[in-house]
Amino acid sequence: MFKLKIKNGHNVNIAGNPDKKFLPTRHHSSVSLSPENFRYIKPKLLVKENDSIQLGDPVFFDKLNPDIKWPAIASGKISKIVYGDRRVIKEIIFEVNDDKEKSLQPNSPNGLSSKEGVINYLLEKNMWPFLKQRPFNKVANPSDNPKSIIISLANTAPLAINHHFTLSDQQEYIVSALKHLKELTDGKLFLIVRPGEFTYLSDLEYIDLVEIEGPHPAGNIGVVLNHIQPINNKDIIWTVEGHHLPILGKIFSDGIFDPSITINIAGPCVKKPSYIKTRLGCPVDIYCQDNLTRDDVRIISGNVLTGKEINLDGYTNFYDSSISIIEKSFERSFMGWLHPGGSSKYSIFNAYIGDNKKPYKFTTLQNGSERAFVPIGAWEKVFPMDIYINELARSIVANDVDEMEQLGIYECDEEDVALCSFVCPSKTDVGGIIRKGLDLIYFDG
Amino acid sequence: MDNMNFLKKILERSGKLFEKGRPLSWAHPIWEATDTILFSTDKQTDSGPHIRDNMDIKRTMFFVVIALIPCYLFGAYNIGYLNDMATTDVSRSMFGNFIFGMSYVLPILIITFVSGAICELTFSVIRRHEVNEGFLVTCALIPLTLPPLVPLWQVFIGTAFGIIIGKEIFGGVGTNIFNPALTARAFMYFAFPTRMSGEKIWAVLPDGNTGATALAIPANSPKNIASDLFSEASNVAPNYFDFSLWKMCWGLIPGSIGETNKILILLGAIFLVYVGIASWRTMVASVSGLFFTAFLFNILAGFSTNAMLTITPLQHLLIGSFLFGTVFMATEPVTSAHTNKGKWIYGFMIGVLTVIIRSVNPAYPEGVMLAILIMNMFAPLIDYYVVKSNIKMRIARNA
């Protein structure tokens, strides 16, 4: 077991932290799968509108790697396929038929005791997209040989779900998922947990627990890897979202694809921030109805640092485990830069009188204009990796691929530097810069 | 509140005139600056995190200016106080001294800001970049580094030089190599030496009196012990300046406008470190470098006739502009070393160089300005080697 204490970072004290209780389960008449949630793929459809479909049937595949197919996340029919500019597939919307879903029969799979067996089984069941890789944070390539697999069960992001709470009744499936995932690597299977949580995992000899303490981004796989097993230039690390483990567990033990997940809806504009038992690609409006404190809100699939804005009639993204809702504010305060402070300002600098102990109602305001970058050491305060992030960002802006590699770009992902953008007084989008660098390397290499 | 809304509406409407394709679009940076100074921007987060910290560059720069205000107030008072003391037939109240001093400080300050604003606005219009609030700090720093009797036209040219050559030709804030305020100061020192050095400019004194700075005392008297020289120079007619350690700390001695009171500078330092803007590493390293070198020179003093070598570390700390430079100039984030390890080396070397320049070349007693400019030049190199060690570690791991 590894114990890791992270010092640099910050737990954003945002209002609307979810209570540990569940909203009543709602009926989902439609769900959505968006190929845009998956980086660097070229989707080709295998279905048409109005096709009848069964859970787990292939819906589209990646032209660049035709073995990888995406599963239907509902039984029923394809009600709509939304295209964007140049016929880019934006979204596949399923109409859910409950009776059809209940008719699925379990059948125990076999041949799962080897790496090839597990890979082939996941590909055949169209479950491969649940596996992601670092670097690049994209769907894993089945022909790669991952150095290790790492899964975070300690989500430290603001308003994130508490896996210990949401997965408390899924022990059997989690163990099944982990046992089979271990087959995929000759290296270690790391699990990031908070102290005292998921204690039953310490009995499993094929798992290396990493106990983390400290502020966000302590629970990010990138941060933990940087401390225990840094990603070298040719290394591939695989990962799975913690809240997807039960889905994989059921596939491995029962042979059934059950798209149920537990996520949360939270944020300063949510009346009752709480957990919801829902499914992949669920519509957000049914959870927002009568649950918002105001109308002018931004709905985010994912957390407030790295999530993507979606519309009220939109659906959650594939890998996300929360819906965050913040106020859209256009307030302009008179001579705001002179403001003494109090409860209306939040800063990790000691820049305002009063403290940040009370949860703060963050809005969509950028709180300042973009300026040339002045390195007063703000990024370093919240970036706990052995990487010179300032120099790395500069090398990316200069398109210097060699230097990016030398400075450790493969070890970073957008989510690891999100707090740097949060604190940056020049309002620089550091994550965007990191992504630009990764894209450059990906498309050049 | 109605007035506020009225003002907001005027800004919004006038803003349209500055949009792309409109007649005044060339002046958009100026309008943006005015608009966001009056009302905080309503710009929405669109890429990256959806929420942002409330700290921005405006407030950052504003804080540095706040830290400088006590130095201004005391500087003005000091000018009046020294004049009062040296002039036998005048006796003013404390406030009177302040007003007297202000009559010298204010014109310098105004000229600096006029010159700075002209340069910054012109460049932001030509270059089409936003007006960077950093120039306010540059302009607030320059007068504090000047003697009270500096001619105003020199201030105007010096400031323009600092902003244009020190900053804009390198691409503006964020890409400049030298501290613009120090560039201005150095330019003026070398371009107008007769008005920027000597014994007559550091205090406003009646004819016939001279006001040498503390640094000039040992510089001009070889074969002596600095401490003795300070006591000899103290309380001598007709000026009665007191060069005891405590008085030098309090700053009632001749010098540049803002550097004499070390206690206020220290307060500024504590404030800037507390808010999280200036680096304590640079400051601590710089003072350590100064102590280390001064101590070393004290040991070597027996082998030389140079009185500067006998200045104790504490005296070095309190005389001249070292503390002011360390706190407000060396810590300037863009031109200092960026890495934390680099800041230790960068700061330490500023301290070392300050003492070396002061002592080894007594013709040029104030060393901190050149020390910082030299280290500004080396800061990228220091960072390069610090980062290189990180790269080497990574290459070794890859192999």
Side-chain angles (χ1 to χ4, degrees), chain A residues 58-296:
Chain A
V59 193
F60 64 87
F61 68 94
D62 181 8
K63 273 192 269 189
L64 304 172
N65 199 339
D67 288 343
I68 306 176
K69 300 187 190 77
W70 274 255
I73 53 171
S75 296
K77 68 170 192 175
I78 308 279
S79 63
K80 200 175 174 196
I81 296 172
V82 185
Y83 294 96
D85 291 343
R86 291 144 126 229
R87 303 243 339 139
V88 168
I89 309 159
K90 290 186 89 72
E91 216 173 9
I92 300 157
I93 297 170
F94 301 83
E95 194 180 287
V96 183
N97 183 329
D98 290 328
D99 299 337
K100 219 169 157 184
E101 283 191 357
K102 283 182 192 123
S103 67
L104 285 168
Q105 291 301 320
N107 59 327
S108 296
N110 41 27
L112 292 183
S113 51
S114 69
K115 185 181 172 189
E116 287 71 41
V118 175
I119 291 179
N120 288 336
Y121 180 68
L122 285 173
L123 286 172
E124 176 198 322
K125 284 281 184 182
N126 307 320
M127 292 296 126
W128 192 259
F130 285 104
L131 269 80
K132 289 195 286 184
Q133 71 156 65
R134 287 294 172 92
F136 303 116
N137 196 6
K138 66 183 217 18
V139 174
N141 184 347
S143 56
D144 281 338
N145 197 9
K147 188 176 174 193
S148 59
I149 296 179
I150 183 165
I151 299 163
S152 178
L153 291 174
N155 197 338
T156 47
L159 305 177
I161 60 168
N162 180 334
H163 288 104
H164 189 61
F165 171 66
T166 57
L167 301 177
S168 54
D169 54 349
Q170 305 279 352
Q171 186 170 339
E172 176 199 338
Y173 289 123
I174 288 174
V175 172
S176 156
L178 295 175
K179 195 176 96 193
H180 292 100
L181 286 173
K182 177 68 179 77
E183 296 290 338
L184 295 173
T185 177
D186 306 327
K188 289 181 167 169
L189 171 57
F190 296 110
L191 268 141
I192 307 170
V193 294
R194 287 199 183 87
E197 295 185 352
F198 295 98
T199 42
Y200 59 87
L201 293 178
S202 56
D203 302 337
L204 307 175
E205 75 283 359
Y206 50 85
I207 286 174
D208 283 85
L209 279 187
V210 184
E211 251 186 37
I212 54 119
E213 271 179 86
H216 186 62
N220 284 8
I221 57 170
V223 172
V224 171
L225 279 175
N226 181 263
H227 286 89
I228 59 168
Q229 192 195 70
I231 304 176
N232 292 331
N233 278 4
K234 299 236 153 52
D235 288 353
I236 301 282
I237 310 285
W238 284 357
T239 182
V240 171
E241 293 290 336
H243 66 288
H244 287 165
L245 282 178
I247 298 179
L248 290 173
K250 275 176 209 166
I251 280 286
F252 285 128
S253 42
D254 302 347
I256 284 188
F257 174 37
D258 175 4
S260 306
I261 50 172
T262 305
I263 65 171
N264 67 16
I265 177 165
C269 293
V270 181
K271 270 187 202 156
K272 277 185 253 158
S274 35
Y275 285 84
I276 46 184
K277 289 193 165 155
T278 178
R279 51 192 297 160
L280 290 169
C282 70
V284 292
D285 58 347
I286 53 171
Y287 297 105
C288 290
Q289 252 167 36
D290 305 322
N291 198 13
L292 299 184
T293 54
R294 54 194 310 135
D295 293 333
D296 48 344

Side-chain angles (χ1 to χ4, degrees), chain A residues 232-233 298 304 307 329 332-333 335 337 339 346-348 350-351 364 366-367 371 406 411 427, chain B residues 35 37-40 43-45 47 49-50 52-55 59 62 130 133 173 274 394 397-398:
Chain A
N232 292 331
N233 278 4
R298 177 183 288 183
V304 284
S329 167
R332 306 191 63 188
S333 57
M335 298 231 178
W337 50 282
H339 200 289
Y346 185 99
S347 178
I348 77 151
N350 292 315
T364 55
Q366 188 170 272
N367 296 322
R371 286 292 182 261
Q406 291 169 353
E411 299 169 48
K427 311 295 168 189
Chain B
D35 183 54
I37 282 172
L38 283 172
F39 292 98
S40 61
K43 185 135 200 318
Q44 303 283 298
T45 55
S47 60
H50 297 268
R52 297 296 174 100
D53 194 283
N54 263 296
M55 187 70 160
R59 201 167 171 92
F62 170 62
E130 356 45 59
E133 291 80 1
V173 170
Y274 173 75
R394 195 162 281 114
R397 215 173 58 202
N398 274 324

Side-chain angles (χ1 to χ4, degrees), chain B residues 233-263:
Chain B
S234 297
N235 299 317
V236 174
N239 295 330
Y240 303 105
F241 298 141
D242 188 345
F243 290 105
S244 65
L245 275 183
W246 178 239
K247 280 288 156 68
M248 286 199 285
C249 188
W250 254 116
L252 292 167
I253 48 170
S256 297
I257 293 170
E259 52 92 350
T260 57
N261 190 320
K262 314 301 178 214
I263 290 165

Side-chain angles (χ1 to χ4, degrees), chain B residues 266-303:
Chain B
L266 225 50
L267 276 182
I270 292 168
F271 174 72
L272 288 181
V273 169
Y274 173 75
V275 202
I277 293 173
S279 162
W280 60 268
R281 288 182 183 86
T282 310
M283 297 185 202
V284 171
S286 175
V287 172
S288 320
L290 180 102
F291 271 60
F292 171 78
T293 320
F295 185 70
L296 201 69
F297 279 9
N298 284 173
I299 296 173
L300 296 175
F303 304 103

